[in-house]
């Protein structure tokens, strides 16, 4: 028996060594040799300008600039279900930033998710999406970041729970869920479509929000852009591949472009996290790139809406909900949820048939009622009209009743909302 257990122990040890070897190999597979140093890369003015544009497309400042902090100096905490990841300093400071990074090291970070010192990077930095960018775009981004003012700000250590803060744990995660790659143009598609697909899938990293995640925080590639709840924010990023959620196959290119450029169309407005994307990123993209993104998004196969039976609310709930709607909502959204327009071209979106209202999860509707709805300020809509918050004035039970009424009135048919739903969304 002693010999048998010894053999089992040896076998287990061998298997562990083999598994460790496979994990180690998968974590370096596809990496290019590091060549050159920081001084061997000399940026051109054209690269700097191109990099500034690409940094907008990637919305880099949203994470790498802390509130009240210097641009791209890092320090902003990004909450995840596994703890807090703090964004790194991207300024060209030699000691605390990326001033000594070579172009090859920066490319490795973007393409392979590995820092200049060899550490594995956490996918809160969306290298599973950025891996598809081209080397030329990576070099342009580096050129722009090197043109920034150096800021001496030491990177904050991540605050992740055990065992998520360990490099071996991250190595296993990457072996299971990450493979480096570049965008491969689809030859059957036009140049414009491929440009849009490249922007959406790589620098735009749209799937980071608009895709479901598994228990380990990895996006489920088989369900790309099919919608997902943004961790800890409790905003739902609706499916871009569903006509019942945020699919735009039946929109005109002009309508999709307007939403990305201004945050507002007669069909609806960009609110919550998407408003920030429009504010910081997409409004600055040129018309050709916006049209390319619209072309790609319009081409996504659409899941048709599923049939829903009419929702029957109790008489007391319906009466109370209707009264709350008349008191707080009807003046703008219409007595029958038809929407309308106000002074100065203000558009009050209709609630009857509104896809935000009818999502299976009521999280976004609750957020808007509680905290207000504020489209982004853009060049195309410099003074957007926002909806005031009703969270301070209404109790959770009242918000639940109001939301349930809106989701069931005027032909709407969506499940009712409970006070617990409101509490969770708050």
């Amino acid at each position: 028996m002693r010999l048998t257990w010894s053999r089992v122990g040896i076998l287990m040890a061998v298997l562990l060594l083999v598994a460790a070897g496979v994990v180690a190999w998968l974590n370096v597979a596809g990496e290019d040799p590091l060549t050159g140093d920081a001084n061997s890369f000399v940026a051109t003015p054209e690269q700097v300008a191109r990099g500034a544009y690409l940094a907008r497309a990637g919305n880099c400042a949203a994470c790498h600039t802390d509130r009240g902090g210097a641009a791209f100096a890092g320090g902003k905490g990004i909450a995840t279900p596994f703890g807090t990841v703090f964004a790194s300093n991207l300024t060209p400071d030699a000691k605390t930033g990326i001033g000594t990074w070579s172009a090859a090291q920066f490319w490795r970070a973007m393409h392979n998710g590995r820092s200049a010192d060899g550490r594995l990077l956490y996918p809160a930095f969306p290298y599973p999406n950025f891996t598809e960018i081209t080397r030329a775009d990576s070099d342009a981004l580096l050129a722009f970041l090197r043109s920034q003012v150096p800021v001496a700000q030491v990177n904050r250590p991540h605050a992740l729970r055990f065992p998520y803060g360990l490099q071996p744990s991250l190595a296993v995660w990457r072996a299971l869920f990450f493979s480096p790659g570049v965008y491969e143009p689809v030859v059957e598609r036009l140049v414009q479509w491929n440009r849009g697909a490249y922007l959406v899938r790589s620098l735009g990293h749209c799937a980071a929000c608009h895709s479901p995640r598994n228990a380990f925080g990895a996006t489920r590639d088989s369900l790309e852009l099919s919608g997902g709840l943004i961790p800890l924010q409790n905003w739902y990023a609706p499916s871009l591949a569903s006509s019942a959620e945020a699919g735009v196959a039946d929109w005109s290119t002009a309508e999709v472009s307007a939403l990305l450029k201004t945050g507002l169309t007669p069909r609806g407005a960009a609110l919550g996290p998407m408003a920030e994307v429009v504010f910081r990123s997409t409004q600055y993209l040129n018309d050709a790139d916006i049209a390319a993104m619209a072309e790609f998004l319009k081409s996504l196969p659409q899941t048709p809406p599923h049939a829903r039976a009419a929702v029957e609310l109790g008489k007391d709930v319906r009466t109370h909900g209707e009264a709350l709607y008349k008191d707080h909502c009807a003046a703008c959204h219409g007595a029958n949820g038809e929407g309308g327009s106000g002074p100065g071209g203000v558009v009050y979106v209709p609630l009857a048939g509104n896809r935000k209202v009818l999502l299976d999860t009521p999280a976004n509707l609750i957020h808007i009622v509680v905290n207000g709805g504020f489209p982004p300020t853009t060049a195309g809509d410099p003074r957007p009209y926002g909806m005031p918050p009703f969270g301070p004035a209404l109790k959770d039970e009242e918000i639940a009743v109001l939301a349930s009424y809106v989701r069931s009135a005027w032909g709407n048919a969506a499940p009712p909302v409970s006070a617990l739903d409101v509490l969770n969304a708050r």
Side-chain angles (χ1 to χ4, degrees):
M1 179 65 70
R2 184 178 304 166
L3 182 61
T4 301
W5 281 113
S6 297
R7 288 178 177 176
V8 170
I10 292 171
L11 179 60
M12 292 295 293
V14 170
L15 290 175
L16 286 173
L17 286 173
V18 170
V22 170
V23 168
W25 178 78
L26 288 172
N27 273 274
V28 298
E31 289 191 7
D32 296 332
L34 295 180
T35 57
D37 57 20
N39 297 322
S40 64
F41 177 70
V42 180
T44 66
E46 292 76 17
Q47 280 181 307
V48 174
R50 177 67 178 164
Y53 179 83
L54 295 172
R56 289 283 199 187
N59 202 12
C60 304
C63 288
H64 289 276
T65 302
D66 200 6
R67 179 174 294 182
F72 299 103
K76 183 175 181 177
I78 302 166
T80 78
F82 313 103
T84 303
V85 174
F86 291 95
S88 58
N89 185 345
L90 297 183
T91 73
D93 182 69
K95 291 185 177 180
T96 63
I98 61 172
T100 61
W101 285 38
S102 68
Q105 288 172 324
F106 187 80
W107 164 248
R108 186 174 70 171
M110 296 290 289
H111 185 61
N112 301 94
R114 186 186 295 274
S115 184
D117 61 6
R119 287 180 303 106
L120 303 177
L121 299 174
Y122 285 91
F125 168 61
Y127 59 83
N129 307 102
F130 290 166
T131 187
E132 295 199 17
I133 76 166
T134 64
R135 175 63 188 267
D137 281 353
S138 174
D139 287 351
L141 280 166
L142 178 61
F144 166 68
L145 292 171
R146 282 195 176 177
S147 72
Q148 301 301 292
V149 175
V151 177
Q153 179 167 292
V154 177
N155 291 322
R156 296 180 63 180
H158 304 313
L160 295 167
R161 299 190 304 278
F162 180 85
Y164 309 116
L166 302 177
Q167 286 279 293
S169 300
L170 180 55
V172 172
W173 184 94
R174 287 163 50 97
L176 292 171
F177 303 117
F178 171 66
S179 297
V182 294
Y183 178 72
E184 298 289 346
V186 179
V187 295
E188 295 83 7
R189 293 286 190 172
L190 298 176
V191 172
Q192 183 188 44
W193 184 94
N194 276 292
R195 175 63 178 170
Y198 172 74
L199 289 169
V200 168
R201 288 175 170 166
S202 60
L203 279 168
H205 59 285
C206 302
C209 288
H210 287 277
S211 290
R213 294 180 179 270
N214 62 25
F216 301 99
T219 56
R220 296 162 62 183
D221 292 338
S222 61
L223 299 173
E224 183 185 23
L225 302 176
S226 62
L229 194 67
I230 302 175
L232 302 186
Q233 293 188 33
N234 284 333
W235 277 94
Y236 176 72
S239 171
L240 299 173
S242 169
S243 58
E245 294 194 7
V248 293
D250 62 339
W251 290 33
S252 68
T253 299
E255 287 174 319
V256 182
S257 298
L259 185 65
L260 294 174
K261 286 288 281 188
T262 70
L264 184 67
T265 74
R267 292 184 182 240
L271 304 174
M274 189 62 199
E276 183 177 1
V277 170
V278 175
F279 174 70
R280 293 180 177 273
S281 178
T282 57
Q283 70 161 314
Y284 297 101
L285 302 188
N286 61 48
D287 290 344
D289 278 346
I290 288 291
M293 293 174 71
E295 184 73 15
F296 170 72
L297 293 172
K298 280 172 56 62
S299 74
L300 292 174
Q302 297 292 297
T303 302
H306 55 272
R308 281 174 168 164
V311 176
E312 294 295 334
L313 299 179
K315 182 179 179 181
D316 291 344
V317 173
R318 179 168 294 280
T319 301
H320 190 192
E322 185 176 15
L324 289 169
Y325 181 83
K326 288 179 179 179
D327 288 343
H328 300 287
C329 314
C332 292
H333 293 288
N336 297 303
E338 71 274 16
S341 58
V346 171
V347 175
Y348 304 116
V349 297
L351 300 182
N354 188 303
R355 295 191 297 183
K356 282 189 179 71
V357 170
L358 295 173
L359 289 171
D360 285 338
T361 170
N364 294 2
L365 176 61
I366 294 171
H367 268 296
I368 294 166
V369 175
V370 171
N371 302 310
F374 301 97
T377 300
T378 61
D381 187 20
R383 299 184 67 183
Y385 182 85
M387 173 180 146
F390 291 98
L394 299 178
K395 300 176 181 178
D396 288 357
E397 293 79 5
E398 293 174 313
I399 293 172
V401 168
L402 173 60
S404 296
Y405 172 75
V406 169
R407 282 162 65 86
S408 64
W410 323 301
N412 288 346
V417 178
S418 69
L420 182 59
D421 292 329
V422 179
L423 179 63
N424 289 335
R426 280 187 186 269

